[in-house]
Amino acid sequence: LGFIIENDVMVAELFQCVSKETAIELWTSCQLNRIHPTNTGYALHFADGKTLEAHLVIAADGAHSWVRKQLNIPISTHDYHQTAI
């Protein structure tokens, strides 16, 4: 069972929900220039000169993930010879 949700609708709803959380600081319209591992996690360097250190980084930026490539995380694929619409 699955659902198709338009990306802009889902992003708008998620943004609205997260905006209400006081424990979350949102950085919007940021361009990540570099990411690298540190002794305690990862350092993220942004185009505006800001740096953020994190214990966890989630590479949820698609099949051709820029984050995954920057961190040299290998992938393995398997063709299941199936198509979905």
Side-chain angles (χ1 to χ4, degrees):
L1 180 64
F3 296 94
I4 296 175
I5 303 171
E6 294 178 26
N7 186 57
D8 57 339
V9 172
M10 183 176 61
V11 169
E13 183 64 27
L14 288 172
F15 185 79
Q16 183 179 9
C17 291
V18 170
S19 296
K20 296 175 185 175
E21 296 296 324
T22 58
I24 298 174
E25 181 179 345
L26 289 175
W27 289 15
T28 59
S29 302
C30 296
Q31 181 179 349
L32 187 58
N33 281 355
R34 184 171 165 241
I35 181 171
H36 63 87
T38 66
N39 290 336
T40 58
Y42 298 91
L44 295 86
H45 302 273
F46 295 89
D48 63 1
K50 289 182 182 177
T51 300
L52 176 68
E53 293 195 17
H55 295 291
L56 173 68
V57 173
I58 298 173
D61 53 340
H64 304 288
S65 170
W66 181 88
V67 173
R68 182 181 47 75
K69 290 176 186 174
Q70 291 296 307
L71 296 173
N72 294 315
I73 298 171
I75 61 169
S76 60
T77 61
H78 179 76
D79 187 354
Y80 290 96
H81 305 290
Q82 296 180 354
T83 303
I85 297 176

